[in-house]
Amino acid sequence: MPYASIDELESALAGASYLPDRGLSTALYLSLKLEKPLLLEGEAGVGKTEAAKAIATALGARLIRLQCYEGLDVAHAVYEWNYARQLLHIRAAQEGTVDEAELFGPEFLIRRPLLEALEAEEPVVLLIDEIDRADEEFEAFLLEVLSDFQITVPELGTISAKQRPYVILTSNRTRELHDALKRRCLFHWIGHPSLEREIEIVKLRVPGVPERLAAEAAAFVAELRLLDLQKPPGLAETIDWARALTALGTQELDVENVSATLGSVLKYHEDLLSVRDEALAGLVASARGR
Ligand SMILES: Nc1ncnc2c1ncn2[C@@H]1O[C@H](COP(=O)(O)OP(=O)(O)OP(=O)(O)O)[C@@H](O)[C@H]1O
Ligand SMILES: [Mg+2]
């Protein structure tokens, strides 16, 4: 555990351009200290994936990412036999150029993220991203991996982690995860950042953004989140938008530049329409009036 305190961890993360709130940094600190996986849930674009990348950078660890999707199976998550290579080997054996065909040795294994993380010699952050998209059977399989940190390849035997990878799981909560998986993990919900933090993050992530523009854009987005939208904008949208406005040479918000660029912030046509019609001028005025 390389950090003596939560503050120390926070400054290491800031060095990786990541500004967590206190709740998140506490969760990260505890999961490192207790050597427990951390499950991060939250709306889209609040910084779940980036948290894992930032902690890997801060720790100087290698990031191994398993992107989950419907139908993800062991062959894509753990290992698969390299049939092409096995065939070549069989042919070579028939021609007598190589010895007896030992077809199920480690050299014929294609290592996928989970096996790679278990076999790694160096410190590793294993990011299991969007676990809620994987099927429940895969989740059950993962449960075993996370309890024992070992994987059995029938032809080779059991492979145990040389050192435990630090594991972060993320979920957008498209479905509820099983209690058994949650029990194995520390849990943290990442919400939208406070206005002050969001301004800091925009300044950090958007080179050259005018101070005033960063503040107004963050305030505007914070107001949008209070409306009844289909998809309230996340931090990712604020950053994209501030980038777009900066690229256009914008110094401050006005109705014209906001309506020209609002598509970076609101991704649903209905949301765009409702904000344009009703509220735009009022929202701009109040974002500027802070
Ligand atoms: N605390 C933070 N400090 C600095 N940048 C952040 C922070 N949180 C998020 N970001 C930035 O916001 C953007 C979105 O973050 P990220 O991709 O991690 O979101 P996510 O929660 O994984 O979203 P999704 O559910 O869509 O995958 C990234 O560009 C990231 O750099
Ligand atoms: Mg993500």
Side-chain angles (χ1 to χ4, degrees):
M1 170 65 178
Y3 305 110
S5 65
I6 299 174
D7 286 334
E8 226 175 77
L9 170 63
E10 279 186 3
S11 43
L13 289 170
S17 298
Y18 192 82
L19 304 178
D21 66 22
R22 194 65 173 183
L24 176 56
S25 51
T26 305
L28 284 164
Y29 179 83
L30 284 176
S31 68
L32 281 167
K33 182 135 187 151
L34 304 176
E35 297 187 350
K36 266 193 139 187
L38 177 61
L39 169 61
L40 296 177
E41 277 191 345
E43 307 289 334
V46 290
K48 302 180 295 295
T49 302
E50 193 70 20
K53 292 184 184 169
I55 195 89
T57 306
L59 290 167
R62 186 167 138 222
L63 179 75
I64 297 181
R65 178 175 182 172
L66 175 66
Q67 177 63 51
C68 299
Y69 52 86
E70 212 183 312
L72 174 66
D73 58 5
V74 170
H76 289 96
V78 190
Y79 74 92
E80 175 169 41
W81 291 105
N82 188 338
Y83 296 120
R85 203 160 167 195
Q86 286 175 323
L87 273 176
L88 286 175
H89 191 85
I90 291 172
R91 203 165 300 153
Q94 285 165 347
E95 288 166 3
T97 34
V98 295
D99 268 353
E100 176 56 16
E102 176 45 86
L103 282 177
F104 292 96
E107 67 274 28
F108 294 105
L109 217 48
I110 300 174
R111 291 166 172 74
R112 305 294 190 196
L114 288 181
L115 183 57
E116 228 182 304
L118 287 193
E119 285 191 335
E121 312 261 350
E122 73 277 32
V124 157
V125 171
L126 172 62
L127 166 61
I128 301 173
D129 214 7
E130 307 188 353
I131 175 68
D132 52 326
R133 290 180 198 274
D135 308 311
E136 296 190 15
E137 302 84 76
F138 185 78
E139 195 185 318
F141 167 78
L142 204 57
L143 198 63
E144 272 178 57
V145 176
L146 292 182
S147 341
D148 307 335
F149 285 92
Q150 59 181 33
I151 282 166
T152 300
V153 179
E155 296 87 349
L156 290 179
T158 297
I159 299 170
S160 306
K162 301 205 166 71
Q163 51 176 358
R164 278 185 174 218
Y166 175 52
V167 183
I168 293 189
L169 302 101
T170 79
S171 161
N172 276 39
R173 232 172 149 207
T174 56
R175 67 173 173 86
E176 224 21 81
L177 303 175
H178 284 281
D179 288 343
L181 184 75
K182 289 189 176 163
R183 212 179 308 124
R184 300 271 179 320
C185 304
L186 293 178
F187 173 78
H188 182 73
W189 173 267
I190 306 187
H192 296 299
S194 68
L195 181 58
E196 280 63 37
R197 185 174 305 277
E198 189 148 353
I199 295 171
E200 286 312 306
I201 294 172
V202 169
K203 290 201 286 194
L204 192 65
R205 293 277 170 167
V206 184
V209 65
E211 177 104 26
R212 169 145 190 197
L213 181 64
E216 289 181 0
F220 186 92
V221 170
E223 302 230 14
L224 285 181
R225 288 183 194 135
L226 300 176
L227 305 179
D228 186 23
L229 298 174
Q230 299 222 17
K231 165 75 179 67
L235 186 49
E237 279 75 24
T238 317
I239 294 172
D240 282 350
W241 190 37
R243 249 186 220 135
L245 289 165
T246 304
L248 294 172
T250 311
Q251 294 293 321
E252 50 192 275
L253 297 187
D254 56 40
V255 171
E256 206 172 311
N257 60 31
V258 170
S259 62
T261 53
L262 206 56
S264 313
V265 187
L266 297 176
K267 309 288 171 70
Y268 279 83
H269 189 54
E270 294 79 6
D271 288 349
L272 272 171
L273 285 182
S274 73
V275 170
R276 271 189 218 286
D277 287 351
E278 292 165 21
L280 195 63
L283 285 169
V284 171
S286 95
R288 290 171 52 90
R290 303 189 322 117

